[in-house]
Amino acid sequence: PRLRHAELIEQLLPHAPRAIGFDVLLGEPGGAEDAVLADVMRRTGRLVLPVSSQPGAADLRPLALFERSAAAIGRVDIAIDE
């Protein structure tokens, strides 16, 4: 659940990490929890989200809310089940 992700990320904040790689594709809406997770991501200032490319298909990107909240976007190579 996205609230759990937000809690876990928030636990990292006091440790001042240089970067947080969050390798979870957030391409589908998750309801009211999205705003909570996006807020925590924004407050870290150091969270990186993935974008995935599949041959012959458009990139799989995070929802715009999350993409705006992330410090950066990085490419990952994964095979998505059909």
Side-chain angles (χ1 to χ4, degrees):
R2 294 195 175 159
L3 285 180
R4 182 67 177 138
H5 289 150
E7 290 170 2
L8 293 170
I9 293 167
E10 195 142 26
Q11 288 177 14
L12 296 173
L13 295 180
H15 303 285
R18 286 197 234 172
I20 299 171
F22 192 69
D23 193 9
V24 177
L25 291 171
L26 297 169
E28 297 176 4
E33 296 179 1
D34 287 356
V36 175
L37 179 56
D39 178 61
V40 170
M41 290 168 56
R42 193 173 16 263
R43 286 189 285 128
T44 70
R46 294 177 165 87
L47 192 130
V48 180
L49 287 175
V51 62
S52 179
S53 298
Q54 298 298 305
D59 286 348
L60 298 173
R61 302 187 71 86
L63 294 173
L65 170 68
F66 296 123
E67 197 162 337
R68 287 189 308 267
S69 299
I73 303 293
R75 291 224 173 260
V76 295
D77 295 316
I78 60 172
I80 302 294
D81 291 341
E82 293 198 18

